[in-house]
Amino acid sequence: MSGGGGGGRRGAGGTAYRVYVLVLVTALVVGPSLRALAVVVAVPGLGEVLAREDLPALVAAAAGLLVWGALAVGTTHGPVMGSPLRIHVLAGGPQPRRMSLRGSFVRRLLVLVVAGAALGAVPGLALLHLGAGGAGTTALGGAMTGACVGGVTAAGWLAGQALSRRGVRRAALLVPVCAGLVATLLLVGPAALPPGWTSPVTVLLLLVLLVAGLTVVPGLLDRLRGPVLLEQATRWQGATTAGGAGDLAGAAATYRPVPSRHGRWDAVGRGGSLPLLFLRRDLVGAARTPVRLLVGISVLLLALVLGIVVSTLSSGPSWAVLAVAFAMVHVRLGVVSDGFRHAVEASAAPTLYGVPDHHLVGLHAALPLAVVLVLGAAAALVAVPLTGVHPVGALLVVVGGLFCVAVRAYDAARGPMPLLLLTPVPTAAGDMSGLMVAAWQADALLVAVLVPTLVTVAAVSLGGWLVLIYAPAAALVLLGLRRRMSLR
C-alpha cells in the first residue's frame, strides 16, 4: 500500500513539475517569441494581404505541402518514438498497438496542434499590434486553421511511419493531387465563398480533413511494424547521444541515407582533367542517394529564387526572409558537398596520387560551385522577368551562394568539440557555458547567414561595389579551414 502511495505522490509531483516547466517556457520563451514574430509581420498593408481572395487556396496548398513533407519524414523518424527498450516492451506486449503506442503519438499530436495554433494566431496578433480592426476574429480563425493543419500533419507523419514503401509512394502522389483539387476549388469556386485568412469555409474544410485523419489513426497504429519501430528508435537514440556529447555532425550523420541506387555507374571514368574527374566522381556519388539529391536541389533552387525576389525589397521583414534563404542555401548545399568530408578525412593520412590536401579540397569544390552557378542562373531567369527584380540583386544572391560553398568546406573540417567549452561560466543569470557550446556548433551557419545577408542589404542601399567584401571574407574562412585541417 505504501509503495502505491509513494508512486502516486511521485506521479503527482512529476505532473506538477511538468506544469511548472510548461508555464515557465510559455512565459519566458513562447510568449516573447510570438510577440517578436508578430511585430516583424506587422507591416502596413497586412490587412489587405489577409483579405485576398486567393489566400484560402494558398493555405490549402501549404497544408498539402506540410503533409507531404511529414509523410516523407515519417519514413525515417515517425511520431511513435522512445528508447529501444521501451518500444520493444510496448510493441511486443499483449495490448493492441493502438492502445500501447497511443500515448507516444498523442504527445506529438498535441505539440503540432498547439504549435500550429500559435503560429496561425500570429497574423491576428500583428493586426492587434497595428491597431487594426478585426484582430480578435483573425487571431481566432488563424489559430483554428493552424491547429487543424497541425493535426492533419501529425496524421500524415504517422502514415509515413506505418505504411509500406509502396503505400508511402502512393500517398505521396495522392496528397499533392488532393491539395491541388482543394486549392483549385477554393480559388475558382462559387463567388459566395468568403475570402481571407479567417474564411469559415477553409476552417470547416480543414476540420473535416482533421476528423478524417484522426479516424484512421488507430488503424495506422496497428499497422506499425516492430522492426521499423526498433530501427527508428535505435537511430534516434544514437543521434541524441551524439548530440548530447556536442557532436551535432555525428548526430546528423545518423540520418544520412545509405547509397542505394546507381551502384554500377562508373564514378572514375577514363581520361579528362583532374577537375572534371572530381566533378564526375562527386556527381555520381550524390546521385546514389537520388531522393536526397532531388530534395536538396529543389530546396536550393527555391531558396535562390526566394533570395532573389526579396533581395531588392526595402520592407521590414525582407532581410529576415533573405537570411532564411541563405540558411536554406547553406544547409542544402550539403547534398553536393560530401567531397569536402573526404578531403578532410584524407588530410589525416599520407598524401596519395600526389594531390596535396588543400588542392583536394579545391577539387571537391567543383561540384557545389557548378551547382550554385547553374541553379543561380536558372533562378535569375525565372525571378527577374516575373517579378521585375533588378539583375544586381540576382548577382548578389548568387555570389552569396558561392560564399556559402567556402563556408561548407570550413564546416566540414570541424573537429571534436574542445573540452574547454564545457568549463562552467558562472554569471548572475546562471551558467553560460551552454551559449559557448551553441556558438561553436553554429558558427558556420551564422557566418553563412550573416555575411551574405548584410552584404546584400548594404549593397542594395549603398552600391554594388560592396560585393568586393566577399573577397576578404572568403579569405578569412579559407584561413580558418587551413587552421582546422592543420590541427587534425
Side-chain angles (χ1 to χ4, degrees):
M1 292 294 290
S2 59
R9 286 192 295 271
R10 285 195 296 271
T15 303
Y17 178 74
R18 293 189 187 96
V19 172
Y20 169 72
V21 171
L22 181 63
V23 171
L24 278 186
V25 170
T26 303
L28 299 178
V29 179
V30 179
S33 299
L34 286 179
R35 185 181 182 280
L37 189 58
V39 171
V40 171
V41 174
V43 296
L46 177 64
E48 289 78 5
V49 173
L50 295 178
R52 287 172 61 99
E53 293 183 355
D54 57 353
L55 195 56
L58 293 177
V59 172
L65 188 62
L66 281 176
V67 174
W68 190 82
L71 191 69
V73 171
T75 59
T76 55
H77 183 87
V80 177
M81 195 57 62
S83 68
L85 177 60
R86 177 181 172 82
I87 289 295
H88 176 73
V89 171
L90 293 179
Q95 282 190 324
R97 289 179 178 174
R98 66 175 61 194
M99 300 294 295
S100 60
L101 301 177
R102 181 178 57 188
S104 180
F105 171 74
V106 168
R107 283 193 291 273
R108 285 156 181 86
L109 170 68
L110 291 177
V111 169
L112 288 181
V113 168
V114 173
L119 292 177
V122 167
L125 298 177
L127 289 180
L128 184 64
H129 179 74
L130 291 173
T137 306
T138 303
L140 179 61
M144 293 181 64
T145 302
C148 293
V149 171
V152 175
T153 303
W157 192 14
L158 179 62
Q161 187 179 26
L163 297 179
S164 63
R165 288 187 177 183
R166 178 177 296 180
V168 170
R169 284 197 292 268
R170 291 176 178 174
L173 294 175
L174 187 62
V175 168
V177 172
C178 293
L181 289 176
V182 173
T184 305
L185 176 64
L186 292 172
L187 194 61
V188 301
L193 289 180
W197 175 253
T198 59
S199 167
V201 176
T202 307
V203 176
L204 180 61
L205 196 58
L206 287 171
L207 275 174
V208 172
L209 291 176
L210 176 61
V211 172
L214 295 181
T215 303
V216 301
V217 163
L220 290 175
L221 288 174
D222 284 338
R223 289 175 61 96
L224 287 171
R225 291 153 291 168
V228 173
L229 289 173
L230 279 178
E231 178 191 354
Q232 293 191 0
T234 304
R235 186 180 294 181
W236 175 241
Q237 188 180 47
T240 52
T241 302
D247 185 11
L248 292 187
T254 308
Y255 282 93
R256 185 171 294 128
V258 178
S260 58
R261 299 291 180 88
H262 313 311
R264 294 185 177 180
W265 284 12
D266 187 3
V268 178
R270 297 177 181 176
S273 63
L274 209 53
L276 289 178
L277 175 66
F278 275 78
L279 179 64
R280 172 177 176 164
R281 169 184 169 173
D282 289 342
L283 186 58
V284 171
R288 286 176 176 165
T289 52
V291 175
R292 176 175 177 249
L293 178 62
L294 180 61
V295 173
I297 292 295
S298 302
V299 175
L300 195 54
L301 179 60
L302 176 64
L304 291 171
V305 171
L306 183 64
I308 292 173
V309 169
V310 302
S311 60
T312 56
L313 296 181
S314 57
S315 58
S318 61
W319 63 268
V321 179
L322 189 62
V324 171
F326 279 119
M328 292 167 64
V329 169
H330 172 73
V331 172
R332 298 321 302 176
L333 271 176
V335 299
V336 290
S337 302
D338 286 340
F340 289 143
R341 291 190 295 109
H342 165 255
V344 171
E345 291 170 1
S347 66
T351 302
L352 296 177
Y353 310 117
V355 180
D357 298 335
H358 299 94
H359 190 192
L360 196 60
V361 174
L363 291 171
H364 281 297
L367 178 59
L369 290 175
V371 167
V372 170
L373 288 175
V374 172
L375 295 183
L381 290 175
V382 171
V384 172
L386 292 181
T387 62
V389 179
H390 198 282
V392 172
L395 177 63
L396 290 171
V397 172
V398 173
V399 176
L402 296 176
F403 175 74
C404 289
V405 174
V407 181
R408 286 295 313 190
Y410 167 76
D411 193 32
R414 181 193 307 275
M417 185 177 67
L419 295 179
L420 182 64
L421 296 180
L422 297 178
T423 305
V425 183
T427 67
D431 185 8
M432 291 295 161
S433 60
L435 292 179
M436 298 174 61
V437 174
W440 185 85
Q441 294 285 2
D443 61 346
L445 179 62
L446 291 175
V447 172
V449 171
L450 292 179
V451 174
T453 302
L454 294 177
V455 170
T456 304
V457 173
V460 170
S461 304
L462 304 177
W465 60 270
L466 282 173
V467 74
L468 297 176
I469 293 178
Y470 278 120
L476 289 175
V477 170
L478 294 179
L479 283 175
L481 167 65
R482 182 174 183 176
R483 182 176 181 277
R484 282 186 169 183
M485 292 184 67
S486 65
L487 295 176
R488 294 181 69 88

